[in-house]
Amino acid sequence: MDFLKSAVASAISKGLAFPYAFGDRVDLDPSIWTLYNGTRREDGSACSIFSFDVTANKARLPLARNALKKLRTLRHPGVIKVLDTVETDTYIYIATERLVPLRWHVKRKSLTPETLKWGLFNIARTIKFINDEATSVHGSLKVASIFTSESGEWKLGGFEVLSNVKDDEANIYNYGSLVPDASRYTPPELARGGWDAIKRSNHWVVDSFNFGVLLFEVFNGDYIGSDQAGQTKNIPPTMQTGYKRLVNANPKSRISVANFLDMGQRHGAFFDSPLIKLTDGIENLGVKTEAEREEFLDDLDKVTDDFPEDFFKAKVLPELLKSVEFGGGGAKAFGLVMKISTKLSNDDFEAKVSPVVISLFANPDRAIRVCLLDNLPLMIDRFTQRIVNDKIFPQVVGGFTDLAPIVREQTLKSVLVFVPKLSDRTINGELLRHLAKTANDEQPGIRTNTAICLGKIAKNLGTSTRSKVLIAAFSRSLRDPFVHARSAALQAFAATCEYFSPEDITSRILPAICTILLDKEKQVRDQGMRTMEIFMQRIRKAAAEMPDTVLPPATSSDGNSNGAARMSTPQPDQGIASTTTSTWAGWAISSFTNKISTAAGEMEPSATAAAATLSPQTNASRPNMLSTASTSNLHRQAVRSPSATQPPSRNSSSSNMGGDSFFADAADDVVNDSAAADDAWGSLDDGFGDDDGGDAWGDNEGNEDAGPFAPKKAHTTAATTSRSVCGTGGVQPFGNEEAEPDFAGWLAEQEAKKKGGIAGGKTLPKGLAKTSTPSAPLAKRPAVKPAAKVVAKPAAKPVAKKINFAPKNNNDDDEGWGDGW
C-alpha cells in the first residue's frame, strides 16, 4: 500500500493527474492562497487555480484543508464552483471557474450602485443559506473572500474557518486568529473575549457584523478598523437603517443577514430593483407561464446599460435564446437578444447568436420575421457575405410575396441592408425580379418605397442594365395615381441623374417628366420642375461639349466651300420666330437660288439646244434627272399652246419666261447641271417623306405623267387649261393674273380622277390632250409617240419622290410635315 501511495504522489507531482495548465498569477489581498489564471488542457477552456504551498505554510495547513473540504461539499449558486482538486504532501491545488477578485472592481470603482446592490443581494442569500440551512458560520466575510465570475456574479470563497456550530472542535474556535487581516475585521465582542465568545450568542452575529463591514467597504473602497463601523458615508439612504443594525456593537441588538435580506426585498425597498428581479427569474424562464414570461420580459426591457454586461452575455443571453428558439419567447425575447448582442465580440456573436438567427429566418412566424428584419441593421455586419448570400437572403425573399403587407414592406426596407452583402449576380437577377413585383403592389406605400429603394441601390446595379431598369421603373411610377409615388419617382430620377446618358435623358426621361409638369398636385409639379432643371443642366453641359457640326465642308462648282453651311444659317439680327421660319421654310428656296446662280452661265439659249442635249440614251442612264425634267416640261406645255409647226414633245423646252416661270427655270437648271440637281433635289427629298410626296401628287398609278395641274377634261381649250405655277402652289388662269386661283376646282378634279378618272383612270397630261382648237392635226405627229415612250418609262420609277409645292386642302398639314421633319 505504501508503494501505491508513493507512486500516486509521484505521478501527481509530475502534473499527470492535474489536467490544468497554470497561467498568469493574479494579485490578491493577504491570503493563504496564491491565485493563477489557468486553462483546461483538454479543451482550452478558462479556469482559475488556487495553490497552497504546504512546505512554506505548514502552520496554516488546517485552514487550507478546511477550505478544500467545504468547497467540495457545499453547493450553492453563490459559492465558488469547483472543477477539480489535488492534494499532496507538498501542495494543494483547487481548480475553479474563472474568477476575478472583487477587490479589483472596488479599487477601480467600476461597479454602479445598482450592480453593487445586486452583488450584495447574492452574498446575502449565500450567507443566509450558510447560517440557516447549513447551521454554520463563515467567520471570514470580507471583500478579499469574494470573487466575480465570468457572468459578473459575486461568488463567495474564503472558507478557511467556515465551521458548523454543532461541532465543538470546529476550526473557527482554534484557528480563527490565523486568518490574514483577522484583527481588522473581527467583531468587538470577539476582540474582547476571544473566538469562544461565539458560543455565548447567536452563531450568525459574527457574519452579520462582517456583512455590515462588507457593505461599507464596497461603497467606500476601504475599511481600516472597527472605528469606521456604523459610518454611513456613500451608503444609499434606503440601506442605512439596516446597515446600522448589522454593525451594532451589542451582539444582541444586531439583526441577522436573513432579516436584512427580508427588509431589502419589501416592495420599493433597496433590493426591489429590475436587475435583481431579472437575475432571480432568468434561470426559470423556460418553465414560466405565458403571463409570467411577458411580465418578466417587460422588466428585462427596462434594464439600462448601467447593469453588468458580463451577466447578460453569460446568463441572460443563453436563456433568452432558448426561449426564442424552443420556449415560445417570441419577438419580444428576440428584441432583447439583439439588445444584448450588440455588446458581444464578433467571436462570441458567431458562436452564440449566429446559429440561432440563421435558423430563425426559416421560421414561418410573421412576428419573428418582422422582428428579425427590424433588427437586421444591428447584426448584418456580424455575418460574412457568404452566409448572407447563401443562407439568409434565400429565406428572406419569400417575404416579397407574403400575404401580409407589413411583411412585404419590411422585406423591401431590408433590401438596403442586404445589398452590400449580396453578390452582383443576386442583385441583378433575383432581387430585381422581386422589386419588379413590388413596383406593381396593390399597396401604394410599397410601390412608393420600391422607387425609393431603387434610387438608393442604383450604385449597386450592373452598368449594363442600370439605366434601363431605372428609367422603366421611375417612368412607371410617374404614372402612379398615388401622389407620393410620383413625387418619389421624381426625386429618384434627380438622385440618379449621373447614371443616365444625355441621349437617354433627351429621348426617354425628359418626355416622361414633361407630362408631370402640369400635375394636379402642387408638390408633384414643384418637384417636377426641380428635377427637370437638374436634367437640363446635364443637357446644357453635354451640348456645350459637342462640336458645332459634324458635316464635312461642301465644295460647289464655283469653289465656294461654305455655300452649304451658309444656306440655313440665320442672320444675327433675326428674332427667334423669324429665325425658325426662315430655317424651316427658306432652306429649300435658298438651295434653289444658289444652284441657279451657280449654273447661270451654262443654260442653253433655246429650247432646241436643250432638247438636243437630252438624248434618249442619256435620259435612260439618269432616270431621276429625267423624271424631274419631264415633270417640268409638262408644266411648260401646260402654259403654252402647241404650235402648228412644232409638235409637243416631252423633251422640248419652252423659252425662258422670267419670274413667272421660276420652277420651270429650276427644272432646266436641273437638266443641264446634274451635280447641282442631285444636291438640290436630294436635299428636298430628305426633308419630305415618300408618303408626303405620294399624297401630294395624287394617285399616279397607271398615269405616270399625271400631276396636280392636269386638265379637267380632254376637250378643254388651251386658253382655259393654261396654268402657271405661283409661289403659293395655287393654279390661276394664265390670261388673267388678277383673278383668284381656281383651287377648289382643281380639288374637285382630283376627287373625280380618284373615283374613275377620264378614259378609265388614264387621263392624258397637259399638252397631249385633244383640244377643240384645230390649230395642229394631232393625228399626223408620228414623232411624238416614240419620244413619249422613251421618256415616260424610265420616269415611272422615281414617281414616289415627286414633290408637291401646292398646299393640301385638309387638316393633315401638321401630320405630314411632322413626319417629314
Side-chain angles (χ1 to χ4, degrees):
M1 293 295 295
D2 293 337
F3 173 76
L4 292 174
K5 288 182 180 180
S6 62
V8 172
S10 176
I12 292 175
S13 64
K14 293 179 181 179
L16 298 178
F18 192 66
Y20 298 91
F22 286 81
D24 298 332
R25 179 175 176 175
V26 180
D27 292 334
L28 281 176
D29 283 355
S31 174
I32 67 172
W33 300 97
T34 303
L35 181 62
Y36 297 90
N37 289 328
T39 56
R40 188 176 181 179
R41 288 193 177 97
E42 183 179 355
D43 56 6
S45 58
C47 67
S48 293
I49 302 174
F50 289 90
S51 174
F52 179 79
D53 189 354
V54 176
T55 58
N57 296 284
K58 284 187 178 181
R60 294 176 176 176
L61 180 59
L63 299 178
R65 287 178 174 172
N66 186 72
L68 176 62
K69 177 182 177 181
K70 297 302 180 181
L71 285 173
R72 282 175 174 174
T73 57
L74 193 64
R75 299 294 181 182
H76 189 270
V79 176
I80 293 174
K81 182 181 180 181
V82 177
L83 302 177
D84 200 356
T85 62
V86 173
E87 181 180 0
T88 68
D89 294 339
T90 58
Y91 60 84
I92 298 175
Y93 295 151
I94 303 175
T96 67
E97 59 183 319
R98 177 58 66 88
L99 301 171
V100 174
L102 179 62
R103 176 66 69 184
W104 289 14
H105 301 291
V106 172
K107 283 184 177 180
R108 294 195 301 263
K109 296 182 179 180
S110 59
L111 302 177
T112 64
E114 289 298 324
T115 305
L116 292 174
K117 291 180 182 179
W118 171 56
L120 291 171
F121 172 79
N122 288 334
I123 297 300
R125 288 198 306 176
T126 306
I127 294 296
K128 177 185 177 182
F129 170 77
I130 292 174
N131 293 157
D132 296 347
E133 281 77 5
T135 62
S136 300
V137 56
H138 187 277
S140 183
L141 183 59
K142 53 189 175 183
V143 170
S145 302
I146 301 173
F147 303 84
T148 60
S149 66
E150 289 183 307
S151 63
E153 297 174 279
W154 290 15
K155 300 290 185 175
L156 182 61
F159 288 170
E160 289 81 9
V161 293
L162 190 149
S163 304
N164 191 324
V165 294
K166 296 179 181 180
D167 186 3
D168 293 335
E169 299 298 328
N171 279 6
I172 193 170
Y173 302 131
N174 301 319
Y175 304 103
S177 59
L178 296 178
V179 177
D181 280 344
S183 60
R184 184 154 52 114
Y185 294 95
T186 300
E189 66 275 12
L190 297 184
R192 291 190 304 265
W195 289 89
D196 288 337
I198 296 176
K199 300 178 181 179
R200 295 189 290 270
S201 60
N202 294 322
H203 67 282
W204 43 258
V205 295
V206 176
D207 291 340
S208 295
F209 183 87
N210 287 340
F211 187 83
V213 172
L214 173 66
L215 192 151
F216 175 87
E217 197 169 10
V218 297
F219 282 108
N220 291 277
D222 199 6
Y223 176 75
I224 298 176
S226 59
D227 294 340
Q228 289 181 318
Q231 293 182 7
T232 58
K233 180 182 178 181
N234 296 329
I235 295 179
T238 56
M239 302 179 70
Q240 291 179 4
T241 302
Y243 159 71
K244 289 180 179 180
R245 297 182 64 181
L246 285 172
V247 295
N248 195 304
N250 185 1
K252 296 182 180 179
S253 300
R254 293 175 193 161
I255 59 174
S256 66
V257 175
N259 291 335
F260 181 78
L261 185 62
D262 292 339
M263 290 173 59
Q265 287 182 310
R266 294 172 186 172
H267 182 69
F270 47 85
F271 284 153
D272 184 19
S273 66
L275 180 58
I276 293 175
K277 289 181 179 179
L278 166 68
T279 58
D280 194 30
I282 188 62
E283 294 182 357
N284 300 321
L285 181 61
V287 296
K288 291 180 181 292
T289 63
E290 185 175 353
E292 292 174 343
R293 184 167 56 246
E294 287 292 325
E295 182 180 0
F296 173 78
L297 294 176
D298 289 339
D299 293 337
L300 182 60
D301 197 23
K302 298 176 183 177
V303 174
T304 63
D305 295 335
D306 295 335
F307 298 142
E309 298 177 9
D310 295 335
F311 178 75
F312 284 98
K313 296 176 184 178
K315 288 289 185 179
V316 179
L317 183 60
E319 294 297 328
L320 288 176
L321 289 174
K322 291 178 184 177
S323 177
V324 171
E325 194 171 8
F326 307 111
K332 182 177 291 187
F334 184 78
L336 295 173
V337 168
M338 288 293 99
K339 183 178 180 181
I340 298 170
S341 64
T342 55
K343 300 181 180 180
L344 295 177
S345 64
N346 290 336
D347 293 338
D348 290 340
F349 184 90
E350 184 177 356
K352 298 178 181 180
V353 182
S354 181
V356 178
V357 171
I358 293 174
S359 63
L360 287 178
F361 271 107
N363 194 318
D365 188 354
R366 287 192 175 100
I368 291 290
R369 173 60 62 84
V370 172
C371 187
L372 284 169
L373 296 177
D374 284 341
N375 291 278
L376 191 62
L378 301 177
M379 56 183 173
I380 190 65
D381 293 334
R382 305 294 188 100
F383 296 112
T384 63
Q385 183 175 4
R386 182 175 181 180
I387 291 177
V388 174
N389 197 77
D390 298 343
K391 295 183 178 181
I392 296 180
F393 190 72
Q395 302 292 340
V396 172
V397 294
F400 285 111
T401 57
D402 194 89
L403 295 178
I406 187 174
V407 177
R408 300 199 301 272
E409 184 172 9
Q410 291 299 323
T411 305
L412 177 61
K413 291 179 179 179
S414 69
V415 170
L416 301 180
V417 184
F418 275 118
V419 160
K421 293 282 186 176
L422 297 179
S423 64
D424 293 339
R425 181 177 181 181
T426 302
I427 294 174
N428 295 285
E430 187 174 8
L431 178 59
L432 288 182
R433 286 197 299 270
H434 288 290
L435 292 181
K437 296 178 182 178
T438 57
N440 292 321
D441 197 274
E442 61 182 6
Q443 296 293 326
I446 295 178
R447 299 197 301 269
T448 303
N449 287 334
T450 301
I452 296 173
C453 178
L454 282 171
K456 290 185 176 182
I457 68 171
K459 60 183 179 181
N460 301 102
L461 300 179
T463 55
S464 60
T465 60
R466 178 165 50 203
S467 61
K468 178 176 68 175
V469 171
L470 296 182
I471 293 174
F474 299 157
S475 298
R476 178 186 300 170
S477 297
L478 289 178
R479 301 188 298 270
D480 197 296
F482 189 52
V483 56
H484 298 290
R486 301 196 297 273
S487 180
L490 291 170
Q491 295 178 25
F493 259 137
T496 58
C497 177
E498 58 183 305
Y499 301 120
F500 305 116
S501 65
E503 292 76 12
D504 285 338
I505 293 175
T506 54
S507 63
R508 303 179 64 185
I509 298 177
L510 291 182
I513 296 178
C514 286
T515 61
I516 215 75
L517 298 181
L518 292 179
D519 194 90
K520 296 181 180 179
E521 299 295 332
K522 185 178 185 300
Q523 70 177 59
V524 178
R525 296 195 300 271
D526 294 343
Q527 184 59 47
M529 292 294 183
R530 290 190 291 268
T531 304
M532 177 71 77
E533 181 59 29
I534 292 174
F535 280 109
M536 287 305 300
Q537 292 177 3
R538 281 284 312 276
I539 296 303
R540 293 188 191 102
K541 182 178 179 181
E545 297 173 353
M546 295 176 65
D548 292 344
T549 180
V550 295
L551 298 176
T555 303
S556 59
S557 60
D558 61 352
N560 184 9
S561 61
N562 297 326
R566 189 177 65 250
M567 293 174 189
S568 58
T569 304
Q571 297 301 320
D573 58 346
Q574 291 177 336
I576 296 176
S578 62
T579 301
T580 304
T581 305
S582 63
T583 303
W584 178 78
W587 173 76
I589 303 302
S590 63
S591 295
F592 275 117
T593 305
N594 280 280
K595 294 303 178 182
I596 291 172
S597 62
T598 302
E602 301 176 5
M603 293 181 66
E604 294 293 336
S606 64
T608 305
T613 303
L614 290 177
S615 63
Q617 290 81 2
T618 304
N619 294 341
S621 62
R622 297 168 62 187
N624 291 333
M625 298 297 181
L626 193 56
S627 174
T628 307
S630 299
T631 304
S632 302
N633 291 334
L634 291 179
H635 290 314
R636 295 189 181 193
Q637 290 185 0
V639 298
R640 286 185 57 193
S641 297
S643 63
T645 60
Q646 182 180 356
S649 174
R650 296 187 182 184
N651 291 331
S652 64
S653 302
S654 62
S655 62
N656 194 342
M657 298 179 64
D660 293 337
S661 57
F662 170 77
F663 285 96
D665 294 338
D668 283 335
D669 183 25
V670 169
V671 172
N672 289 292
D673 190 353
S674 60
D678 286 339
D679 290 342
W681 291 100
S683 301
L684 287 175
D685 288 343
D686 292 340
F688 298 89
D690 294 341
D691 294 339
D692 292 338
D695 293 339
W697 291 104
D699 188 5
N700 293 334
E701 225 177 272
N703 186 9
E704 298 173 357
D705 300 304
F709 308 112
K712 295 181 181 179
K713 294 182 181 180
H715 59 274
T716 307
T717 60
T720 306
T721 58
S722 298
R723 312 283 182 179
S724 66
V725 181
C726 64
T728 59
V731 181
Q732 63 183 11
F734 181 81
N736 186 6
E737 295 182 357
E738 301 297 330
E740 290 186 1
D742 189 12
F743 196 67
W746 177 78
L747 287 177
E749 179 184 352
Q750 297 300 314
E751 293 296 330
K753 286 197 299 180
K754 289 182 180 180
K755 292 181 180 179
I758 300 172
K762 295 183 179 181
T763 56
L764 295 174
K766 290 183 179 182
L768 299 182
K770 295 180 180 181
T771 61
S772 58
T773 306
S775 59
L778 298 179
K780 295 181 180 181
R781 297 173 185 174
V784 174
K785 292 183 180 180
K789 290 180 181 180
V790 173
V791 175
K793 286 184 179 180
K797 295 182 181 179
V799 162
K801 293 220 175 238
K802 292 182 180 179
I803 304 168
N804 180 16
F805 292 96
K808 298 181 182 179
N809 190 19
N810 51 33
N811 296 326
D812 296 333
D813 290 14
D814 294 337
E815 181 178 358
W817 283 97
D819 292 340
W821 289 91

